[in-house]
Amino acid sequence: MNTSGKINDHVQNCMGGKIEIKEITEIINERKFIDDILATGYIDQVNTGKILVKLAKHYYWDLGYKQTRTVKALDAYMIAHYPNYNEHTMQKLDRHGINEWERLFKRCYKAAIKTPIIEVEGIWITKTELEKIAELNNKVLERLTFVMLCYAKLYKSRNPLSTGWVYSNKYKDIFKQARISCKTDDRICMLGELADKGYLYEYQLPPLEKIKKMNPYQIERFNNRQLDMRITFMDDESEKIIFVDDWRELGYYYRRYKGENIIRCAKCGKLERGNKNGTKKYCKQCTGNISSYEYDYKQCQCVDCGKMFNVLKMERSRKRCPDCEKAERKEHNRQMYLKRKNSTILIKDEV
């Protein structure tokens, strides 16, 4: 399942099995995501709005609920699964006489009725597109162009009438996916360089005479679109090479295609850098959650608190549990600081 910020894997027991909600980025297959959250009762406090929009889609497109009934259904779901949310939450008003949760539910409903539930397994990147990207002969720009192409193709899979536009409100996520760390001005320079080379088409503002006749809302919309770019080299008819079905590490798809050491996590399916020995199997998030039969663990007793904890056999020298080890390191650093401070005072006294 491919699922939209910054949360760890969430696993709950359901109907005798385990269903895993991956960290939320772009949701490719909305149908599968909705089925999973309904089966697990999943909700998190970071991406609450995104999850509620998908639930509202289910209530509107599958069950035929209108706004009032959808708001009640979302309220019931939150009461059942959201921490500190109860039947009295919807009755609490702010100083303007508005309930923030009710307003959020109505916004989710309005967003849900715009497009049906999307059922897309993934997108294909073709041979012609990859050859065009390779002509840049710049690793950073190649990764950036590849990720932007993925976003353009995702939008086209959702809307067949899409012509390859990538919106500026996604640039932060795009550069993060491409693993490019730079200032905002440098981002604009990179996009401008791609536009100069013909890979991107910049959004063209209407003539000044037409802008003068617009109302403030229309002018604001055009201002927000000034940095939007359109991919100019999309080609769906060529030979299919890369299938993208996970939106968490798009840049690694291109790196793996170029021959870099990229592995797919054996537990969650996320792409991750491999190690030199070729023995790495799991990503960083899953490594700490592997069962003892998957990793060769050994039970040790902490010398400070006496609690039993797991360590890898290669780390037999560890004598403290993680909490005591952290406290011991903190105390050690404090003692070293005092020692350096005292020695500095003695030197000054001697002078």
Side-chain angles (χ1 to χ4, degrees):
M1 182 201 67
N2 304 313
T3 59
S4 322
K6 302 176 181 176
I7 57 175
N8 295 327
D9 294 349
H10 180 87
V11 181
Q12 291 188 358
N13 291 326
C14 178
M15 299 180 295
K18 288 185 177 180
I19 295 180
E20 180 178 352
I21 302 294
K22 297 179 182 177
E23 57 182 298
I24 301 179
T25 50
E26 286 286 344
I27 300 172
I28 299 178
N29 192 333
E30 290 182 343
R31 171 63 65 190
K32 194 171 183 181
F33 181 77
I34 290 171
D35 291 342
D36 285 349
I37 60 178
L38 287 174
T40 59
Y42 177 73
I43 193 75
D44 76 83
Q45 300 182 39
V46 178
N47 303 281
T48 307
K50 292 180 180 179
I51 294 174
L52 291 178
V53 169
K54 305 311 174 189
L55 285 173
K57 279 193 170 188
H58 165 68
Y59 295 136
Y60 178 79
W61 292 100
D62 294 341
L63 305 181
Y65 289 3
K66 298 302 181 183
Q67 178 173 293
T68 303
R69 199 171 178 186
T70 299
V71 169
K72 290 181 179 179
L74 292 175
D75 179 49
Y77 186 89
M78 294 288 285
I79 291 172
H81 305 292
Y82 196 83
N84 301 322
Y85 189 100
N86 54 50
E87 60 273 11
H88 304 296
T89 305
M90 281 278 285
Q91 301 172 7
K92 297 177 182 178
L93 305 178
D94 61 12
R95 58 191 180 89
H96 300 293
I98 300 173
N99 182 276
E100 293 293 336
W101 284 108
E102 183 178 3
R103 183 160 61 179
L104 173 63
F105 296 156
K106 290 180 179 179
R107 287 178 178 174
C108 292
Y109 173 81
K110 291 178 181 179
I113 64 177
K114 292 180 180 179
T115 55
I117 296 174
I118 299 164
E119 300 183 51
V120 180
E121 293 299 329
I123 58 170
W124 281 100
I125 307 299
T126 63
K127 183 178 180 180
T128 305
E129 293 165 344
L130 291 170
E131 289 175 348
K132 181 68 174 177
I133 293 174
E135 292 175 4
L136 286 167
N137 198 25
N138 183 311
K139 291 183 178 181
V140 175
L141 291 181
E142 287 177 27
R143 291 202 309 272
L144 174 59
T145 309
F146 177 83
V147 174
M148 293 189 73
L149 175 64
C150 290
Y151 270 84
K153 288 209 156 190
L154 177 64
Y155 297 149
K156 189 173 182 180
S157 67
R158 294 174 176 175
N159 179 13
L161 300 179
S162 175
T163 55
W165 283 100
V166 180
Y167 305 108
S168 56
N169 62 346
K170 291 293 181 181
Y171 286 167
K172 183 178 179 179
D173 293 334
I174 287 172
F175 277 83
K176 182 180 177 181
Q177 291 273 29
R179 295 279 179 165
I180 301 173
S181 300
C182 61
K183 298 179 181 179
T184 304
D185 293 342
D186 295 332
R187 293 179 187 175
I188 303 302
C189 292
M190 290 183 190
L191 295 171
E193 185 176 349
L194 291 175
D196 294 339
K197 294 182 177 181
Y199 287 79
L200 301 176
Y201 176 80
E202 297 178 342
Y203 183 77
Q204 303 295 320
L205 292 174
L208 184 60
E209 295 77 14
K210 187 175 180 179
I211 294 178
K212 290 180 179 179
K213 298 178 182 179
M214 294 180 181
N215 59 46
Y217 174 73
Q218 291 174 318
I219 294 175
E220 184 181 358
R221 286 187 62 190
F222 278 114
N223 287 335
N224 292 336
R225 293 204 60 184
Q226 282 188 43
L227 297 177
D228 292 355
M229 298 282 186
R230 181 170 63 84
I231 300 292
T232 60
F233 59 95
M234 289 175 61
D235 182 10
D236 296 327
E237 305 301 324
S238 180
E239 180 185 355
K240 297 176 180 178
I241 303 295
I242 302 177
F243 183 66
V244 179
D245 61 345
D246 193 322
W247 219 255
R248 289 175 291 177
E249 288 290 354
L250 291 178
Y252 282 166
Y253 277 95
Y254 188 73
R255 287 186 168 187
R256 186 171 64 168
Y257 166 75
K258 298 295 284 186
E260 295 189 28
N261 184 14
I262 303 296
I263 59 110
R264 187 179 286 273
C265 177
K267 188 171 186 290
C268 70
K270 182 179 180 179
L271 293 183
E272 182 84 5
R273 281 180 176 273
N275 57 7
K276 294 181 179 179
N277 299 329
T279 57
K280 188 174 181 179
K281 294 182 179 180
Y282 304 100
C283 65
K284 293 179 181 179
Q285 287 76 20
C286 293
T287 301
N289 299 320
I290 305 301
S291 303
S292 58
Y293 65 84
E294 294 179 82
Y295 257 145
D296 197 3
Y297 277 122
K298 174 192 170 187
Q299 284 277 323
C300 291
Q301 186 174 17
C302 179
V303 296
D304 291 340
C305 67
K307 185 172 67 175
M308 300 299 292
F309 65 100
N310 289 331
V311 295
L312 291 172
K313 286 193 175 181
M314 64 186 73
E315 299 176 339
R316 290 181 178 179
S317 60
R318 287 185 61 183
K319 299 179 180 180
R320 295 178 174 84
C321 66
D323 294 335
C324 293
E325 189 174 342
K326 184 177 179 181
E328 192 274 336
R329 174 57 57 183
K330 187 175 181 181
E331 177 63 21
H332 172 76
N333 291 339
R334 190 179 74 86
Q335 293 293 341
M336 292 299 294
Y337 168 74
L338 292 176
K339 186 176 179 180
R340 289 193 299 269
K341 184 178 179 182
N342 292 335
S343 63
T344 304
I345 294 173
L346 289 174
I347 291 172
K348 288 184 178 178
D349 291 342
E350 291 176 0
V351 172

